Amino acid sequence: MEQEIKKGLAGVVVDTTAISKVNPETNSLLYRGYPVQELAETQPFEAVAYLLWHGELPTSDDLEHLRRTEREHRALADSVRAAIDLLPHDAHPMDEVRTAVSALGAIDLAGSGSVLDATGSAEENLARSVRLFAALPAIVAYGQRRRRGEELVEPRDDLDYAANFLWMTFGEDPDEIVIDAFNRSMVLYAEHSFNASTFTARVITSTLSDLYSAVVGAIGALKGPLHGGANEAVMHVFDEIGSAERVVPWLDAALAEKRKIMGFGHRVYKNGDSRVPTMRAALDALVAHYDRRDLADLSDALEREFMERKGIHPNLDYPSGPAYHLIGFDTPMFTPLFIASRVTGWTAHVMEQAASNALIRPLSAYDGPDERHVADLTP
Ligand code: SDX
C-alpha cells in the first residue's frame, strides 16, 4: 500500500509536549503556558530555565537555590579547558562547544559501568541540566577570548547569569541596557517545541542514551545554517551588502542565484515569528545605546525589500544577529550563544522524552533496485 511521504516531517505531529506551544495561527509562543514576550520582558533567564525544567516559575527560594547552584558550576573546569585547548585556534566555536560538552559528559560519566548506568534518573538528569546551563557561558566566553588571544576571565558571584556571561566574555562591567537585551535574547532562544535540534535530542534520548550525548547531537543539528547557524549568517549577509543603499542590487543578484536569505522564513510560522517584535525592541535599544542607525537602516531596508518581493517574514535570527554584533560578540560566537540558551529547552525535552519514552524509529519507502543476487552477475 503506497504510503504518503512527508519529506522533512513537514506538518507531521510525532508526539505531545507540555513544554511549549508554537501557534502559527495566532503567531504566539507559550513556555509552559506563559507568553514568551511576558517572560522575556519580566523574568531573568534563570527563572525561565527553572520554568522549562519544572513546569512552574520558581518561588524566590527556588530561584535563590538555582542561582546558588549555578554559581557553584560557573567556572571553566581545567579538564574542559584542556579539551578546548587541544583544538586549533581557528576551529569553529560551534565545534569547540560541541567538543567541550562532549568532554564534560565523558568526565561526568566516567566510571559509570554500563551504557544503562549513563542513562540517568530524572534527578540525575535535572542536576546534569543545571550543571550544563551553568557551565556553558564560561565555555562560550572562553571561545571568544581564546580566539582573540585574551586571558580567561573568572566568573563573579555578585552578578546574575546574563551579567556574568557578559563579564566573562568582555572582562568589563556590563551596562544595564546590554544586560537586559542579552537576557531577552536568552529567554527568546530557549525553547521552540520540536525544532530540528530539539527533535535530534529526543531521538538520541529515545534509545536510552545519556543527556550529554543528546545535547552534543543537538549542537550538531543547530550548527546548520538552515537552523541555528542562521544568526551568524545574517551578519555575513549584512557585511556583504555594506549599506542600505546597496540592498536592492544585492537582493536582485541573490534571488537570481536562488539563494536562501538568512534570517527569513520559518517551517512553522508563515505569517511572522512571534519572537521577532520582542527581540527587535531589544535591538532598537542597542542601536540607540551604541548610536548605530546605519545598521538599523540596512536591516530595515533588506526586510522591507524582501517582504515586498517574496512576502517572507524575518525569524528570530534576523534581529538577534545584529544585536549580538552590537554587544561585541564576534560573528562565529552567535550560534554558540544560541546553544547556551537552548540547552535549557533541549534538556527539558530530554527529561520529558525519558519520562514517557518510546524509541523513535520512522519508516522509509524503498526506491532502490529490485532484489538481485551476486550469482546472477555475469563474469
Ligand atoms: C530557526 O524550527 C524552528 O523552530 C527553528 C527555530 C528555533 O527556534 O528552533 O525557529 C530557529 O532555525 C529559524 C530559521 C533560521 N533559518 C534561516 O533563516 C535560513 C533561511 N530560511 C530558509 O532556509 C527556510 O525559510 C527555512 C528552512 C527556515 C524553512 O523552510 P521551509 O519551511 O522548508 O520552507 P521552504 O524552504 O519549503 O520554502 C518555501 C518557499 C521556497 O520557494 P519555492 O522553492 O517554493 O519557490 O519559500 C522560499 C523557498 O525557496 N524560501 C526562501 C526562504 N525561506 C523560504 N527563499 C529565500 N530565502 C529564504 N530565507
Side-chain angles (χ1 to χ4, degrees):
M1 173 259 283
E2 277 288 298
Q3 280 181 301
E4 187 191 0
I5 291 172
K6 293 279 193 174
K7 212 155 178 65
L9 294 181
V12 175
V13 178
V14 294
D15 205 338
T16 61
T17 180
I19 301 171
S20 70
K21 180 177 184 182
V22 180
N23 201 333
E25 292 71 42
T26 57
N27 194 5
S28 66
L29 169 60
L30 306 177
Y31 288 178
R32 301 282 192 183
Y34 291 96
V36 72
Q37 296 80 356
E38 283 178 34
L39 295 170
E41 288 157 15
T42 64
Q43 299 300 314
F45 182 45
E46 300 93 315
V48 175
Y50 185 97
L51 171 67
L52 293 172
W53 291 322
H54 297 275
E56 297 297 337
L57 280 168
T59 63
S60 52
D61 288 350
D62 295 330
L63 184 57
E64 194 36 50
H65 180 261
L66 174 57
R67 280 180 157 148
R68 227 182 0 264
T69 311
E70 188 258 329
R71 281 174 171 72
E72 287 163 11
H73 295 88
R74 274 178 171 177
L76 182 63
D78 292 342
S79 47
V80 174
R81 180 177 181 175
I84 296 172
D85 287 344
L86 284 173
L87 301 176
H89 261 65
D90 56 356
H92 193 285
M94 285 299 282
D95 299 340
E96 282 179 353
V97 178
R98 192 187 63 232
T99 303
V101 171
S102 188
L104 256 173
I107 294 158
D108 197 24
L109 297 178
S112 56
S114 79
V115 286
L116 266 180
D117 297 341
T119 300
S121 67
E123 293 72 24
E124 283 167 336
N125 282 328
L126 177 60
R128 290 170 184 173
S129 305
V130 175
R131 288 200 297 272
L132 265 180
F133 163 71
L136 273 162
I139 291 167
V140 174
Y142 181 60
Q144 169 147 318
R145 295 191 69 85
R146 185 173 92 105
R147 289 162 72 86
R148 290 185 175 189
E150 296 166 348
E151 275 308 303
L152 178 71
V153 171
E154 291 301 329
R156 276 175 45 184
D157 279 351
D158 62 322
L159 298 176
D160 288 341
Y161 175 96
N164 179 63
F165 201 147
L166 295 166
W167 160 255
M168 286 195 289
T169 306
F170 303 107
E172 53 196 40
D173 276 330
D175 185 284
E176 282 308 317
I177 290 176
V178 178
I179 295 169
D180 176 64
F182 185 65
N183 185 75
R184 282 190 187 203
S185 76
M186 289 285 116
V187 171
L188 292 169
Y189 265 125
E191 159 61 14
H192 212 241
S193 87
F194 284 13
N195 58 85
S197 54
T198 297
F199 191 61
T200 300
R202 291 189 75 122
V203 170
I204 293 170
T205 302
S206 81
T207 71
L208 296 188
S209 186
D210 64 278
L211 178 137
Y212 297 104
S213 298
V215 172
V216 167
I219 293 172
L222 190 73
K223 182 179 176 185
L226 292 190
H227 187 17
N231 60 8
E232 172 185 335
V234 166
M235 275 320 290
H236 293 314
V237 164
F238 287 176
D239 291 341
E240 261 185 60
I241 298 173
S243 68
E245 295 66 40
R246 295 179 49 218
V247 160
V248 169
W250 182 89
L251 197 54
D252 288 340
L255 294 180
E257 295 157 23
K258 293 224 175 296
R259 281 175 64 175
K260 296 276 193 195
I261 314 303
M262 294 292 120
F264 288 91
H266 199 277
R267 171 61 59 82
V268 180
Y269 293 121
K270 293 306 179 189
N271 298 307
D273 184 327
S274 65
R275 302 163 293 183
V276 165
T278 308
M279 191 62 222
R280 170 136 333 104
L283 174 58
D284 291 346
L286 292 168
V287 163
H289 180 69
Y290 292 106
D291 190 19
R292 285 297 309 276
R293 201 58 247 152
D294 60 308
L295 187 60
D297 292 346
L298 167 51
S299 169
D300 295 346
L302 178 58
E303 179 180 344
R304 196 170 41 251
E305 192 63 32
F306 191 50
M307 270 296 288
E308 271 170 28
R309 297 194 199 191
K310 300 276 278 187
I312 298 175
H313 296 265
N315 56 55
L316 176 57
D317 295 315
Y318 193 65
S320 64
Y324 288 151
H325 171 71
L326 289 177
I327 293 175
F329 291 104
D330 296 339
T331 304
M333 306 309 298
F334 293 5
T335 313
L337 294 172
F338 197 154
I339 295 174
S341 167
R342 188 56 59 90
V343 72
T344 56
W346 289 334
T347 50
H349 279 274
V350 165
M351 291 187 275
E352 184 178 68
Q353 178 71 35
S356 63
N357 192 36
L359 176 65
I360 298 173
R361 199 279 185 220
L363 295 176
S364 59
Y366 177 71
D367 65 359
D370 292 338
E371 185 172 344
R372 51 186 172 164
H373 299 281
V374 174
D376 298 339
L377 284 173
T378 48

